[in-house]
Structures are given as C-alpha cells and as structure tokens.
Amino acid sequence: MITVRDFQPGDAVAIASWLDGPEALFAWSGNNGFSWPFVPDELVAGHAADPARHVLVGVDTGGSPVAHLILRPDAHNWSARVGMVLVSPASRGRGHGAAIMEAALRLAFEKLGVHRVDLGVYLHNAAAIRLYERLGFVREGVHREVTLVGGEWWSSMNMSILAHEWRPRLS
C-alpha cells in the first residue's frame, strides 16, 4: 500500500514524468493553464501560488511518489474540491487511487470539518468515475464541451459526497 504525505517540490519531477503528452496533461489538469511540454517547475509554481490547497502525494514503501491530488477548501471551510488526481501509469490498478482519495476525504471531513467534497471528471474517464462512485460520490451534472484537446471537445461531470454520506474504509 502507500503512505500519503504533503507534496514536496522534489516530487514534481516524478509526477511530470507520468504525463506523456498534451492529452494526458489536460486529462489530469483540466483548464488549469499548464502547457505542453510540461516541466516540473510549472507544478511547483502552481502549487506555491495557492497556499489554500492541500497537496497530497502517495508514496510507495521506497518513498517514491506514485499518486498525487489537490484538495482546496472554500473560504468558509464548508466545502472542498478535489482536483488533479493522478496515479503513476506503472502503479495503476493497485488501489493507490482509492488510497489517496480516501486520505483526501479523511482530511476534508475529519480534520477540516467540511460538509461537502466535490470534483470534476471527464466523461471518457470511466475508471475514475467507477472509483469515485465506489467511494460514495454522487453524479450531479454534466458540463458539456468544456475543454478543447487536439481538436476534440471534452465534457466533464461534477460529482460530490456529503459528510453524512461518507463512510471511511476500515483499513
């Protein structure tokens, strides 16, 4: 399994290496303004620019990053948004996405005391949608054709989970 900790600038090199082209970059970062080719300094600068973010990194037993996400609470700490969820291609299918998402939900609901956590996911990312539904997220609505990638418009879906709906995994 993985250990989840705060992002460190040295993690950016590994995380940037997981992105193999502009489609992977947009699938991960949406409309956050990153450009291709993506360089680690963009990630470090992006995280530093928003001190309200909680940036989590999952690391394997050797201490190497294998997962990344951000959790951004609103100004009142009533809700938080999950974004930029990414698991290393070599580590997918091992439960790391579920582990880092569970850590984010624990942080949001148990430590920050938010009422609601939401996220956006592109409709073609069926594996992520299945994971979020397994964790208790509910589909709320579709945002049609919000991101233009390689001449194709991608639509996204908003999903959320409320504090009283969340049930932490026993692990």
Side-chain angles (χ1 to χ4, degrees), residues 98-99 101-111 114-117 132 134-138 160-170:
M101 283 295 299
E102 185 70 24
L105 292 172
R106 282 184 191 280
L107 172 61
F109 292 128
E110 294 179 1
K111 292 189 178 160
V114 303
H115 173 71
R116 168 192 165 88
V117 174
Y132 302 145
R134 265 195 332 267
L135 292 172
F137 282 82
V138 175
S160 71
I161 184 170
L162 304 177
H164 69 271
E165 297 169 334
W166 179 62
R167 302 287 179 263
R169 290 185 303 157
L170 301 175

Side-chain angles (χ1 to χ4, degrees), residues 10-11 54 65 104 115:
D11 298 331
H54 297 270
H115 173 71

Side-chain angles (χ1 to χ4, degrees), residues 77-93:
N77 256 15
W78 292 341
S79 67
R81 183 147 180 103
V82 170
M84 298 178 66
V85 180
L86 184 64
V87 175
S88 157
S91 300
R92 292 182 184 153

